Amino acid sequence: MIAGGSEGVGAEFAHQLARAGFNLVLIARKPDPLEQTAEACRRSGVEVRTLAVDLTSPDAMERTVAVTGDVEVGLLIYNAGANTCSEQFLDAGLADFQKVIDLNVGTMLAMVQHFGRPMRERRRGGILMVGSMAGYLGSERHTVYGGVKAFGRIFAESLWLELREYDVHVLELVLGVTRTPAMERVGLNFDVPGMRVADPADVAREGLEQLANGPVHVAGGNADDVARRNDPDRAKVVLRTHEFMQKLLGERGTR
């Protein structure tokens, strides 16, 4: 089952798993790209179910359970984790930031618990959660998003410890800048000199290959950059990355 499986990295997970012969349940908010991805996967000869639902809605988990109630979900990929409120913290409403928390924490926890319990009983399975390098340091307009991504990484590490003796693989796949439709719609400047930009297909392939090597894998050759973000001089690393983010977002000047 792939939450956030309609386009970008989620769609690439779907295509690669379908080609490997896995039946799929794809969940995403937008019905049109969801059905397009599902139809492409069906051409590989596998069964594909779809559910178009906003994963921040109160009935999202109930509807997910209904569409998966008669199948064994052996692999859960939680790829739904966008920054739905990219504003400075004091300039947006708490309700808008709550949706970021619901999508990246609340619904993720509900899905992991629901599908993880049978995996533990069967003593097999996999849980892959897509994370972000934003979770390694503070960043303007990522005040809440960076926080939930940091939570996701610590959660993955802890869950990995809990499930490793049951042969249930747990991995957080940490993404850097990736050329997805969502990032293109945001208007990111992918041409910043020296910036490493990953391809969704490569990232998805890397995640599936590394699933058994949890708890965390940094994709796209960004491991050294993540290591630099752990510098104990937090002001230095945050300001340096802030300057880079201004270029990425097409903005000028720093504060």
Side-chain angles (χ1 to χ4, degrees), residues 17-205:
L17 288 167
R19 288 194 293 269
F22 287 88
N23 296 325
L24 302 170
V25 178
L26 304 181
I27 299 176
R29 182 172 58 88
K30 299 179 181 177
D32 290 342
L34 179 63
E35 289 302 328
Q36 291 170 9
T37 297
E39 187 56 36
C41 291
R42 291 185 183 108
R43 290 196 286 271
S44 293
V46 300
E47 178 185 346
V48 183
R49 298 182 183 182
T50 62
L51 173 63
V53 64
D54 183 342
L55 289 172
T56 66
S57 65
D59 65 343
M61 194 61 210
E62 179 182 355
R63 294 178 62 186
T64 299
V65 170
V67 81
T68 58
D70 62 336
V71 297
E72 176 183 310
V73 174
L75 173 61
L76 169 64
I77 297 178
Y78 197 85
N79 179 59
N83 184 14
T84 57
C85 185
S86 182
E87 301 291 340
Q88 294 197 11
F89 182 70
L90 300 183
D91 294 337
L94 285 178
D96 294 325
F97 286 123
Q98 185 62 50
K99 290 184 178 180
V100 180
I101 298 170
D102 292 343
L103 181 61
N104 288 274
V105 177
T107 304
M108 182 185 73
L109 295 185
M111 286 195 176
V112 168
Q113 189 174 77
H114 177 78
F115 295 107
R117 283 171 171 167
M119 292 180 191
R120 184 178 62 179
E121 292 175 3
R122 294 190 297 262
R123 303 187 71 91
R124 67 178 184 273
I127 299 170
L128 190 157
M129 294 162 281
V130 175
S132 171
M133 289 174 63
Y136 282 88
L137 49 68
S139 178
E140 186 174 335
R141 293 169 57 186
H142 291 82
T143 319
V144 174
Y145 179 70
V148 296
K149 287 305 183 183
F151 168 86
R153 187 176 72 257
I154 301 304
F155 171 71
E157 292 175 350
S158 303
L159 188 67
W160 174 80
L161 282 171
E162 292 184 2
L163 294 181
R164 60 180 180 159
E165 65 178 285
Y166 297 96
D167 294 324
V168 177
H169 301 304
V170 176
L171 178 74
E172 184 187 68
L173 182 67
V174 179
L175 304 191
V177 178
T178 307
R179 196 181 295 274
T180 66
M183 293 298 98
E184 290 175 343
R185 286 193 293 268
V186 169
L188 293 187
N189 177 16
F190 292 112
D191 298 322
V192 175
M195 182 174 63
R196 184 178 290 107
V197 181
D199 179 77
D202 293 337
V203 168
R205 186 178 305 107

